[in-house]
Amino acid sequence: MIKTVFSKGKLVAKTGNEVMAEAMHQIEPDVVAAYPITPATEIVQIFSQFVADGVVKSEYVAVESEHSAMSATIAASAAGARAMTGTSSQGLCLMWEMLYIASGLRLPIVMAEVNRAISAPLNIHGDQSDTMGARDSGWIQIYSENSQEAYDNMIQATRIAEKAKLPTLVTTDGFIISHCMEVVELYPDADVKAFVGEYKPERYLLDTKKPYTLGSIDLQDYYFEHRYQLAQAMRDSKDIILNVAKDFEKTFGRKYEMYEKFMLDDAEIAIVVIGSTAGTAKVVVNELREKGIKAGLLKIRVFRPFPTEQIAKDLAHVKAIAVLDRADSCSGAFAPLHADVVSSLYAAGVTTPKVVNYVYGLGGREINTKHISEVYEILDKIASGAQNPANQVEYINVRKK
């Protein structure tokens, strides 16, 4: 995210959960159905208070589980409502079956998702195992480095989902962003409402003048075609995401892309990362630049759809790259983000960069500037001719014995 000019908003100190709830308040969806789970509980708790106080006219549905939360949200969206929900970790896992139904029915649901480790062992702190596990469920995935981005992404997600006819989730890193307070610029309610606009679905189940069937059985004759259409809609959504970002910049003065390049254009070594760790890495990049080392950073904002061609182009000149994953595949050759980055380079015929994979921060384990500096030191050696690390996947700040 690049700040270009100040809009006519106000500066306030709020947590990531608070600003996501504030975005929902300003959007004022017709229906929100949710079940509480740490560390996302506050988002729907705060929003439910807005409903109770009459601040919004939304219908809040308190359900008995996250599976029911997504089921109710799907029903509301299919009926023609602008519908939203929120969850985290095991809650997202309990929604698994319904995630595919939401995308397969092309319902523009928006979810506030707080990244958290998946049990077992039980852990309530942040890593990205939950949403990485849902990466192929047909949901657009937008990640946030800080609370400002979480707020901005929620506002943009509403228009993106409704234009693409795809469910969209916006994430923050659990506790690191969700519960930490920062200064955030909030925009006037009227401006946000005008930006997202009134929701006018092309068709919906409660439209008695244009009845249609939704969710019928779909066997060999047409299932393949409908799944192809879903995949094509995801590919086409890249242009929608960028167009919404351009309108957002015109309205609120903040510029967004599919990913952010930080001192990358002339970089010889670079890290690719998602989420709050990008902010820590930027500090290290600035320090290395002061020493004359051409370090850079590529921060993924939109993980699904993955910006394959663009990333290959922007990383082609880099000599050595470290892809930092806050999730582990356990059974795959590499972790999820690394697999997509390397596949993108290979598909584009880019063979110059040497790419290494690091897994970090599982269960909220600390990653600091020292850890990231050590990664850049290894990249500098690789760029100068040293061999890649012996292991396919290296682990940062973990006890191996």
Side-chain angles (χ1 to χ4, degrees), residues 41-352:
T41 298
E42 281 184 322
I43 299 171
V44 292
Q45 176 187 347
I46 294 168
F47 186 80
S48 69
Q49 193 65 53
F50 290 142
V51 176
D53 293 342
V55 176
V56 295
K57 298 177 181 178
S58 307
E59 183 76 24
Y60 182 81
V61 185
V63 294
E64 70 275 12
S65 73
E66 289 86 358
H67 186 283
S68 298
M70 183 51 63
S71 299
T73 307
I74 287 170
S77 182
R82 177 176 274 166
M84 303 178 77
T85 188
T87 195
S88 180
S89 183
Q90 308 298 135
L92 186 67
C93 293
L94 191 53
M95 292 179 176
W96 228 255
E97 173 190 6
M98 308 313 293
L99 294 180
Y100 287 84
I101 292 175
S103 60
L105 297 181
R106 304 293 300 278
L107 299 175
I109 294 165
V110 174
M111 182 195 303
E113 210 283 342
V114 181
N115 284 127
R116 174 189 137 182
I118 295 175
S119 301
L122 177 64
N123 185 294
I124 62 169
H125 289 275
D127 68 36
Q128 293 158 356
S129 302
D130 49 4
T131 48
M132 287 294 162
R135 63 188 179 274
D136 297 326
S137 62
W139 282 63
I140 293 173
Q141 293 195 6
I142 306 176
Y143 288 73
S144 311
E145 179 186 334
N146 50 46
S147 293
Q148 184 70 61
E149 289 192 8
Y151 173 66
D152 294 348
N153 285 336
M154 285 291 288
I155 295 169
Q156 292 177 70
T158 303
R159 274 184 56 176
I160 291 167
E162 291 169 5
K163 183 68 174 177
K165 296 184 178 64
L166 288 173
T168 302
L169 61 83
V170 175
T171 83
T172 62
D173 286 342
F175 288 102
I176 298 169
I177 301 175
S178 65
H179 284 67
C180 288
M181 189 169 289
E182 334 174 29
V183 175
V184 178
E185 184 182 12
L186 299 183
Y187 316 121
D189 293 354
D191 290 358
V192 174
K193 282 193 178 300
F195 181 82
V196 299
E198 182 182 350
Y199 179 44
K200 297 179 179 179
E202 286 184 17
R203 59 182 187 176
Y204 52 97
L205 289 177
L206 294 186
D207 185 356
T208 57
K209 296 180 180 179
K210 298 179 181 178
Y212 79 106
T213 299
L214 183 68
S216 59
I217 192 167
D218 198 9
L219 300 179
Q220 297 96 324
D221 286 347
Y222 286 105
Y223 179 85
F224 199 167
E225 283 73 22
H226 287 144
R227 297 306 295 184
Y228 171 79
Q229 289 172 6
L230 174 61
Q232 188 60 46
M234 184 66 78
R235 288 186 282 268
D236 293 342
S237 70
K238 293 178 184 178
D239 288 338
I240 293 171
I241 293 166
L242 293 175
N243 287 335
V244 169
K246 288 178 183 177
D247 286 346
F248 189 86
E249 182 183 7
K250 291 176 184 176
T251 305
F252 300 112
R254 283 190 166 82
K255 182 177 181 179
Y256 288 91
E257 303 281 354
M258 300 289 283
Y259 54 86
E260 178 187 346
K261 297 189 296 180
F262 186 78
M263 298 192 183
L264 186 67
D265 288 342
D266 66 339
E268 296 181 351
I269 55 177
I271 281 177
V272 180
V273 72
I274 292 179
S276 61
T277 305
T280 309
K282 288 174 182 176
V283 174
V284 178
V285 170
N286 283 327
E287 292 173 350
L288 293 176
R289 285 285 177 162
E290 289 177 0
K291 297 176 183 178
I293 299 172
K294 290 185 177 181
L297 173 78
L298 190 150
K299 181 193 77 180
I300 301 291
R301 172 180 174 246
V302 180
F303 180 64
R304 286 293 182 270
F306 195 75
T308 303
E309 298 84 2
Q310 302 95 319
I311 278 184
K313 181 179 179 180
D314 281 326
L315 290 176
H317 68 282
V318 183
K319 294 180 180 178
I321 300 166
V323 181
L324 272 56
D325 275 273
R326 202 161 199 159
D328 200 354
S329 69
C330 296
S331 60
F334 298 98
L337 179 57
H338 178 276
D340 278 349
V341 170
V342 172
S343 296
S344 299
L345 293 170
Y346 181 84
V350 176
T351 59
T352 304

Side-chain angles (χ1 to χ4, degrees), residues 7-24:
S7 72
K8 47 190 175 182
K10 61 179 180 180
L11 299 179
V12 296
K14 287 188 178 290
T15 66
N17 281 349
E18 288 174 329
V19 297
M20 292 182 99
E22 183 61 32
M24 292 171 66

Side-chain angles (χ1 to χ4, degrees), residues 359-373:
V359 171
Y360 75 98
L362 300 187
R365 178 64 58 86
E366 179 185 19
I367 182 165
N368 55 36
T369 54
K370 180 177 179 294
H371 300 133
I372 294 175
S373 294

